[in-house]
Amino acid sequence: MTCSDAVAEHQWIEYVKSGGTVPCLAPENCPNGWATPPSDSFMVRGPEYLTNKVKIPGGEYLLKPLGFDWIRGPAKICEIMKDKNHRIRKAIDEEVSHGNQPFVWAFNLQLPKDNYSALFYFVSLEPSPEGSLMDQFLKGDDAFRNSRLKLIANIVKGPWIVRTAVGEQAICILGRALSCKYIQGSNFIEVDVDIGSSIVANAIVHLAFGYVTTLTVDLAFLIESQTESELPERLLGAVRFSELNPGSAGLYERPSEERQESVQFLPARMWQGFSQLLRNPGNPREPSLSSQSTNGNVHIEYANENAK
């Protein structure tokens, strides 16, 4: 690849990164924005984890950050990458038309409040190595994916009540805790995660929303290593979002098959009742993520997993 090719390769990524409803900023100062946090702030399973339970800093991300969308809609937002007018889908389709083969990983956290979604996009510019965990995940069935896709959540900044409910670092196998839907195309995979499918997660999100304008949260996605040959774990990618304003969420309206207009991301009004939520931001007696819920089937690992 020539220098000019390399510059062009990253130009489209930078353009997409800057195109969301909240800005991409520096990780040390990103109010009402998003950023890529330091990977070493996440602890993952080390090369001998199965014998010594030792975790190591996350190391280099496998995927490049591509974007973050903070949006809401008239109905639950799902299968967004199948929408050919969506900004991320349009960008990768354009790259494919130029002979390139980017592959996007999209994670859609569907929040149990007025159809809000936080979407995280990462991109690979090369095919996944044959036989790698990424390759197995893309070729695997839903049972395999549900048993492997892991989320690490770090509360970087926030009030005591939220830090106590979530924990300093919570680790969750998403498919065991929540309902996940996997949508795959030739150049993307999307994971729609229904936060409202768990009683505990639902309660935590409703609590956290009362403080969302004061929170800084790091979320990392990875595929869990469960055999010695798969270790050490590698992070797919991570996003930091900070002090999000619900009123800054874009309004997503998916066009019908007949419509050809571009999808609109419009400034959304603050949801009904949010001001009331701010006046009464949650109950300190809300259940903690450390609780186990047979109804919600929540599976949580904490950073002190070594003690297990």
Side-chain angles (χ1 to χ4, degrees), residues 258-278:
E258 294 79 17
R259 291 174 57 192
Q260 298 298 318
E261 299 95 336
S262 296
V263 167
Q264 299 293 315
F265 282 123
L266 302 174
R269 294 187 181 93
M270 196 170 294
W271 66 67
Q272 292 180 350
F274 181 72
S275 58
Q276 180 180 356
L277 182 60
L278 285 178

Side-chain angles (χ1 to χ4, degrees), residues 201-214:
N202 194 336
I204 293 294
V205 168
H206 274 83
L207 169 64
F209 252 109
Y211 301 93
V212 67
T213 57
T214 68

Side-chain angles (χ1 to χ4, degrees), residues 97-113:
S97 72
H98 294 156
N100 301 318
Q101 291 295 324
F103 191 91
V104 169
W105 295 63
F107 300 96
N108 176 12
L109 302 188
Q110 301 165 322
L111 306 185
K113 182 66 179 176

Side-chain angles (χ1 to χ4, degrees), residues 146-218:
N146 284 338
S147 69
R148 293 296 190 110
L149 184 59
K150 182 186 286 187
L151 173 72
I152 303 177
N154 291 341
I155 304 297
V156 179
K157 183 180 72 172
W160 172 87
I161 189 172
V162 177
R163 298 171 77 94
T164 301
V166 178
E168 294 297 320
Q169 182 175 91
I171 305 174
C172 175
I173 302 295
L174 287 172
R176 296 179 190 170
L178 304 163
S179 175
C180 295
K181 183 176 182 180
Y182 305 92
I183 304 96
Q184 190 164 357
S186 57
N187 289 89
F188 68 85
I189 184 168
E190 175 183 339
V191 186
D192 290 346
V193 183
D194 184 2
I195 305 294
S197 62
S198 160
I199 294 174
V200 172
N202 194 336
I204 293 294
V205 168
H206 274 83
L207 169 64
F209 252 109
Y211 301 93
V212 67
T213 57
T214 68
L215 288 175
T216 298
V217 180
D218 289 351

Side-chain angles (χ1 to χ4, degrees), residues 22 44 60 124 150 160 186 208 302:
V22 295
V44 300
E60 186 177 356
S124 174
K150 182 186 286 187
W160 172 87
S186 57
Y302 283 100

